[in-house]
Amino acid sequence: RLAPATAMAGAAVCRAVERVCGLSPGLKWPNDPVLDGRKLCGILTELSLEGETGRVDHVALGIGINVLQRPEDFPPEIRETATSLAQALGRPVSRPALAAELIREIDRLCAALLAGDTAPYLAEYRRRCVNLGRTVRLLTPGGGGETAEALDIGEDFGLVVRTADGGIRTVRSGEVSVRGLYGYTE
């Protein structure tokens, strides 16, 4: 039941940003909120299991939203692929207001996970996913990769793709990294 937590957190970030800033971020699979083809936020999830029972001890969501950065604040190697809310809006954003709204969204996410009600998040994720209908490059951790067409987001938030040989399969976070052919999302 916790597998979709990271993807759902991406949708939660998008909701919070939309409410506070009026911007409508997209999601680059598997969990990167993006604006204008640039990464806005990083999300990592850590899970700890109790040794003897295998029960979940804790889940930690690490969410880092670029709020006030200017282009020169980013290292040169990511300057073209990263953005901030202040850059997108042309003005500062209230970090306390954004943090409060994000906490409300994470509370909703936790309740949805506990209830097993991921359908609204899946629908929103599909609506916001910038990869769908596009050709993407699937990069494996070992350095290999292949080109595929992103078709859908599966019930488990995996990316459903059609490979060059016409086969359809679902790839999962950690298994591959997705990039656009002409940039971070394009």
Side-chain angles (χ1 to χ4, degrees), residues 33-108:
V34 294
L35 281 172
D36 300 322
R38 294 177 176 211
K39 187 172 180 175
L40 175 65
C41 175
I43 301 172
L44 295 172
T45 304
E46 180 181 296
L47 169 74
S48 177
L49 300 176
E50 202 280 321
E52 291 182 23
T53 66
R55 289 182 175 210
V56 174
D57 183 47
H58 71 267
V59 176
L61 284 170
I63 300 173
I65 303 172
N66 298 330
V67 179
L68 298 175
Q69 290 86 348
R70 297 165 300 168
E72 60 270 20
D73 294 330
F74 293 109
E77 62 272 14
I78 66 166
R79 200 167 284 151
E80 297 303 313
T81 58
T83 192
S84 72
L85 294 172
Q87 279 181 255
L89 290 168
R91 62 174 170 78
V93 172
S94 169
R95 289 184 299 173
L98 182 60
E101 190 58 40
L102 183 57
I103 289 168
R104 282 190 281 277
E105 284 298 333
I106 296 301
D107 282 345
R108 290 180 189 111

Side-chain angles (χ1 to χ4, degrees), residues 142-163:
E146 67 180 306
T147 300
E149 180 186 0
L151 302 175
D152 195 8
I153 302 299
E155 296 295 316
D156 62 351
F157 291 81
L159 182 64
V160 180
V161 298
R162 179 181 296 118
T163 57

